[in-house]
């Protein structure tokens, strides 16, 4: 487990790498952060995937704004009590455009392909909150390199915007899984239906589930949105998808 720097066309991305203790090559997984960013909890999630037999890269996608953590975070994040944290993250989030994110994705995939810690072949991608949209975009932008993509409590996956992630559906060859929160203003039922329709129309192998009683951010144990039952369900679904496709 180590921190590293990855040169990109726009600067240098700091990232966390987790890998099995045997030091042998393992299938690669690209893990996209939520808006709170690269921090101890996300590292622990990567460590858990590494224990399951994967080499996992977690980039700080806000690196254009600064190294992680891009804002000072409390050990326990409750946006209701600390709304200024969300406000502080705004400038960092605005540094990441869809175009920039996909330039970065190519770099991350290249880095993983070149690493002696990864096996040859396509990778898996998983993302949380805003990271679910990045996972969906990466699957649609680099279809020859992504075999599986998952997104959990994703935000703004199928909006009316001309660059909404779901519009890449027809390019996707990966198998997809989405675990949606049913209490999530960033991903209402109509957007879930729009995403499902786009994936079905494009013939994408996919499964989407709405986790009853779950809130946006349910996998993040260091936040007030955490749900233990939904998180366990997420791990089962993610590991099943990766195990079958990688």
């Amino acid at each position: 487990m180590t921190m590293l720097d990855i040169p990109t066309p726009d600067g240098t991305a700091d990232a966390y790498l987790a890998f099995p203790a045997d030091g042998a090559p393992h299938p690669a997984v690209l893990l996209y952060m939520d808006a709170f960013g690269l921090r101890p909890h996300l590292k622990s999630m990567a460590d858990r995937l590494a224990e399951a037999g994967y080499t996992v890269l977690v980039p700080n996608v806000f690196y254009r704004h600064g190294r992680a953590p891009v804002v000072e975070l409390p050990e326990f994040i409750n946006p209701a009590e600390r709304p200024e944290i969300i406000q502080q993250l705004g400038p960092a989030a605005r540094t990441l455009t869809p175009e920039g994110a996909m330039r970065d994705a190519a770099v991350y995939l290249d880095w993983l392909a070149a690493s002696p810690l990864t096996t040859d072949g396509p990778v898996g991608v998983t993302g949380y909150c805003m990271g679910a949209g990045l996972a969906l975009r990466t699957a649609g932008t680099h279809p020859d390199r992504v075999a599986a993509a998952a997104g959990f409590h994703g935000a703004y996956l199928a909006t009316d915007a001309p660059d909404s992630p779901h519009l890449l559906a027809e390019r996707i060859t990966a198998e997809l899984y989405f675990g949606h929160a049913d209490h999530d203003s960033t991903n209402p039922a109509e957007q879930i239906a729009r995403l499902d329709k786009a994936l079905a129309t494009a013939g994408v192998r996919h499964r989407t589930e709405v986790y009853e009683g779950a809130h946006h951010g349910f996998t993040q144990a260091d936040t007030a949105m955490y749900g233990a039952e939904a998180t366990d369900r997420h791990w089962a679904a993610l590991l099943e998808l990766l195990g079958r496709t990688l």
Side-chain angles (χ1 to χ4, degrees), residues 1 17-22 24-30 45-57 112 117-119 122-124 235 238-246:
M1 319 307 169
L17 184 72
F19 49 90
D22 62 7
H26 289 270
V29 173
L30 176 59
M45 294 181 77
D47 292 346
R48 181 163 175 173
L49 282 174
E51 289 168 9
Y54 301 96
T55 295
V56 188
L57 183 69
L112 285 166
L117 294 170
T118 63
T119 52
V123 308
W235 280 119
L238 177 60
L239 290 169
E240 193 273 334
L241 174 70
L242 295 176
R244 192 158 33 79
T245 53
L246 301 186

Side-chain angles (χ1 to χ4, degrees), residues 124-138:
V125 185
T126 184
Y128 300 87
C129 301
M130 56 166 270
L134 296 176
L136 181 57
R137 283 192 196 282
T138 301

Side-chain angles (χ1 to χ4, degrees), residues 3-242:
M3 289 297 296
L4 48 88
D5 286 346
I6 300 176
T8 78
D10 297 334
T12 301
D14 48 318
Y16 179 71
L17 184 72
F19 49 90
D22 62 7
H26 289 270
V29 173
L30 176 59
L31 191 159
Y32 280 123
M33 62 188 227
D34 63 346
F36 296 124
L38 186 50
R39 61 195 192 282
H41 175 64
L42 277 193
K43 293 177 182 178
S44 72
M45 294 181 77
D47 292 346
R48 181 163 175 173
L49 282 174
E51 289 168 9
Y54 301 96
T55 295
V56 188
L57 183 69
V58 191
N60 166 26
V61 302
F62 292 160
Y63 70 87
R64 292 171 183 82
H65 186 78
R67 298 178 73 84
V70 294
V71 302
E72 191 174 331
L73 295 169
E75 283 186 25
F76 183 75
I77 304 166
N78 186 347
E81 293 179 358
R82 297 282 304 278
E84 76 276 7
I85 294 173
I86 303 295
Q87 294 165 351
Q88 289 166 1
L89 285 165
R94 286 190 286 275
T95 66
L96 187 69
T97 64
E99 298 77 21
M102 290 306 97
R103 278 198 305 276
D104 294 344
V107 172
Y108 304 145
L109 293 171
D110 284 346
W111 191 96
L112 285 166
S115 172
L117 294 170
T118 63
T119 52
D120 292 335
V123 308
V125 185
T126 184
Y128 300 87
C129 301
M130 56 166 270
L134 296 176
L136 181 57
R137 283 192 196 282
T138 301
T141 305
H142 302 283
D144 55 327
R145 308 178 74 170
V146 178
F152 298 93
H153 44 83
Y156 310 112
L157 299 174
T159 69
D160 294 326
D163 58 358
S164 175
H166 79 287
L167 298 175
L168 293 167
E170 61 188 24
R171 298 192 55 196
I172 294 172
T173 58
E175 182 173 344
L176 306 187
Y177 176 88
F178 288 96
H180 302 295
D182 71 344
H183 295 292
D184 192 344
S185 61
T186 71
N187 191 34
E190 60 267 23
Q191 286 198 35
I192 294 173
R194 186 182 292 152
L195 174 62
D196 278 344
K197 182 179 179 183
L199 295 174
T201 300
V204 176
R205 290 167 299 151
H206 72 284
R207 186 156 64 100
T208 62
E209 296 183 310
V210 178
Y211 293 15
E212 195 172 329
H215 293 267
H216 180 73
F218 62 76
T219 61
Q220 304 301 302
D222 60 348
T223 75
M225 295 78 81
Y226 176 64
E229 190 177 324
T231 295
D232 288 345
R233 185 175 172 184
H234 132 272
W235 280 119
L238 177 60
L239 290 169
E240 193 273 334
L241 174 70
L242 295 176

